[in-house]
Amino acid sequence: FLLILFLIFSIFVFSEIKIGVLLPLTGGISAFGDWTKKGIELAYSQKSTVLGEKITLVYADTRSEKTEAANAMARLIDKEKVVAVIGEIASSNSIAAAEIAEARKVPQVAVTSTNPLVTQGKKFVSRVCFIDPLQGTALAEFAGKTLKAKKVAIFVDIEQDYSVGLTNYFKERFEKKYKGQILEVRYKSGDQEFSAQLAQALAFNSDVIMFTGYYNEIALAAQQARAMGYKGYFIAGDGADAPELIKIGGQAVEGLYFTTHYVPEAAKTKIAKDFVDAFKKKFNTLPAMNAALGYDAYMLIVNAIERAKSKDPVKINEAIRSTKGFQGVSGNIDIDENGNAVKDVIIVQVKGGKFTYVTTIGPEDLK
Ligand code: PHE
């Protein structure tokens, strides 16, 4: 009898629900990983139980690369037995991990991976952000309509699905609707020297240089562009959105416009304002975009577990996929039939060394 009592007791005390967190905690885009982790930590400190059980977060580092993203996903599911996974950040890494999640039938919720392929044809992969056809169109509208651009030189990171995709979606709209000219110049994640590409952009006489890669290379290329005498505009996609862009780029990124998912200044709802306050209190700094989306990804999964009333990954996935009107700190989230969130695109400018809200473009403005 004592043994049975002990067993019941131990089930009660030791039972836990494990959620995996797959992030680039080291390597080229570790700043994105750090910020996302901070957002998830805050969310966890506010809600760490579900269905009467304790939630345990299991972190896995992808080292900012695809192979390790897939390995880490397999480890989280096979060894740690997580019931759902948050992550990754970069589309290429999320795509690599998604193969594994899909095969094992465990739900994955990508944070800011915007390439369509992340969720395409998959039943177990969703995300809390908009996708690149929308983001590319928004950038093309901004370049064509607001900046009156005629010639755009695009810096493409050929290692990143995100960069290649965003370039194409931009091109489609900008060439068709604005009859603009485009020059593509290529580089690879980790490159530090861009003078050859910049010489081409200068010879092309571009009035806008657009970056479709990530903050490190954007900051360095912008510095080198100004040093070579480039006077035109800089624009970029959400890959620019980490405070590290300004830390590395300094004065050279002043004035740069980029599209993104969230900026604390535009927080209007009570839950968005409370998030900014709680984040400042815990970390002594404003939340970066990835912190807000990480927070939302965690809360959305926990909410789905509650609605599923089950620890079964398949049931949790059904609940994630049928999310409607979920109140996130980055806005309301509806998950559509493909696992994508339907959300607005925000445009931000670097002004006085800070990210400053410029405008919001909704899906209905981009038809
Ligand atoms: N959207 C980018 C991608 O899909 C990743 C990204 C992460 C961008 C964080 C900005 C901030 O690869």
Side-chain angles (χ1 to χ4, degrees):
F1 172 74
L2 271 180
L3 185 72
I4 290 169
L5 207 66
F6 175 76
L7 279 178
I8 291 171
F9 175 77
S10 50
I11 286 167
F12 186 72
V13 170
F14 299 120
S15 70
E16 53 175 5
I17 295 187
K18 282 186 173 179
I19 298 177
V21 185
L22 185 73
L23 291 177
L25 296 171
T26 58
I29 54 164
S30 60
F32 290 148
D34 281 347
W35 284 107
T36 312
K37 185 168 182 234
K38 284 193 168 75
I40 294 170
E41 274 171 15
L42 175 62
Y44 183 76
S45 73
Q46 294 174 354
K47 181 141 184 66
S48 58
T49 60
V50 66
L51 310 179
E53 292 184 28
K54 190 175 169 326
I55 300 169
T56 301
L57 290 176
V58 187
Y59 287 93
D61 180 11
T62 65
R63 296 192 227 133
S64 304
E65 82 188 34
K66 307 177 211 185
T67 321
E68 194 47 35
N71 291 341
M73 177 63 96
R75 226 162 37 237
L76 285 173
I77 297 173
D78 299 342
K79 255 188 83 201
E80 299 289 349
K81 313 279 181 227
V82 299
V83 299
V85 177
I86 305 170
E88 223 245 20
I89 303 299
S91 291
S92 293
N93 301 342
S94 285
I95 291 168
E99 299 288 322
I100 313 284
E102 187 71 14
R104 311 283 205 280
K105 298 191 167 34
V106 170
Q108 171 183 357
V109 177
V111 183
T112 50
S113 304
T114 45
N115 187 280
L117 294 176
V118 172
T119 54
Q120 210 168 78
K122 307 205 177 73
K123 289 200 172 73
F124 287 84
V125 189
S126 309
R127 61 180 129 205
V128 291
C129 58
F130 55 67
I131 58 176
D132 287 332
L134 187 78
Q135 174 164 229
T137 308
L139 272 167
E141 285 295 318
F142 186 73
K145 205 191 271 162
T146 310
L147 302 181
K148 311 256 181 285
K150 296 273 173 282
K151 287 179 158 194
V152 179
I154 310 181
F155 274 64
V156 190
D157 182 342
I158 55 166
E159 298 227 307
Q160 302 297 338
D161 294 309
Y162 156 68
S163 185
V164 174
L166 186 58
T167 300
N168 290 336
Y169 300 117
F170 176 89
K171 221 167 130 176
E172 226 175 276
R173 182 75 159 212
F174 187 68
E175 287 180 340
K176 233 184 242 147
K177 182 158 169 201
Y178 292 98
K179 311 283 176 239
Q181 270 178 277
I182 283 170
L183 169 78
E184 280 181 48
V185 294
R186 294 158 176 224
Y187 70 94
K188 282 186 183 157
S189 297
D191 283 358
Q192 303 199 324
E193 226 280 311
F194 301 95
S195 55
Q197 293 93 330
L198 287 165
Q200 276 182 275
L202 286 170
F204 175 64
N205 213 0
S206 61
D207 35 33
V208 171
I209 290 182
M210 170 157 123
F211 300 108
T212 54
Y214 299 130
Y215 63 93
N216 270 319
E217 292 84 1
I218 297 174
L220 295 176
Q223 276 176 337
Q224 292 164 25
R226 292 301 185 215
M228 286 171 75
Y230 173 71
K231 300 251 167 5
Y233 291 111
F234 288 137
I235 63 173
D238 61 341
D241 196 353
E244 285 69 12
L245 175 81
I246 301 174
K247 258 192 223 151
I248 303 166
Q251 197 51 39
V253 297
E254 185 69 18
L256 179 147
Y257 292 101
F258 60 89
T259 41
T260 192
H261 312 269
Y262 169 87
V263 65
E265 196 191 328
K268 273 186 230 97
T269 59
K270 178 167 187 320
I271 105 158
K273 286 187 189 146
D274 288 348
F275 166 73
V276 175
D277 290 343
F279 195 92
K280 277 203 280 195
K281 213 165 157 200
K282 191 170 168 81
F283 297 108
N284 216 358
T285 175
L286 277 171
M289 177 277 283
N290 271 95
L293 270 79
Y295 183 98
D296 283 347
Y298 174 84
M299 289 301 197
L300 187 143
I301 289 175
V302 175
N303 173 274
I305 297 174
E306 254 158 20
R307 282 184 287 118
K309 297 189 182 62
S310 164
K311 296 205 267 185
D312 174 7
V314 174
K315 297 229 168 77
I316 296 171
N317 186 58
E318 278 163 19
I320 292 172
R321 277 298 181 101
S322 56
T323 300
K324 291 282 173 272
F326 174 82
Q327 279 201 2
V329 298
S330 64
N332 279 2
I333 299 175
D334 288 339
I335 301 292
D336 70 13
E337 65 282 7
N338 302 310
N340 301 323
V342 185
K343 288 169 91 188
D344 293 340
V345 179
I346 291 174
I347 294 183
V348 170
Q349 185 179 29
V350 181
K351 224 179 179 175
K354 282 200 188 90
F355 290 160
T356 315
Y357 171 77
V358 177
T359 189
T360 303
I361 306 180
E364 52 309 318
D365 308 323
L366 296 173
K367 294 265 155 66

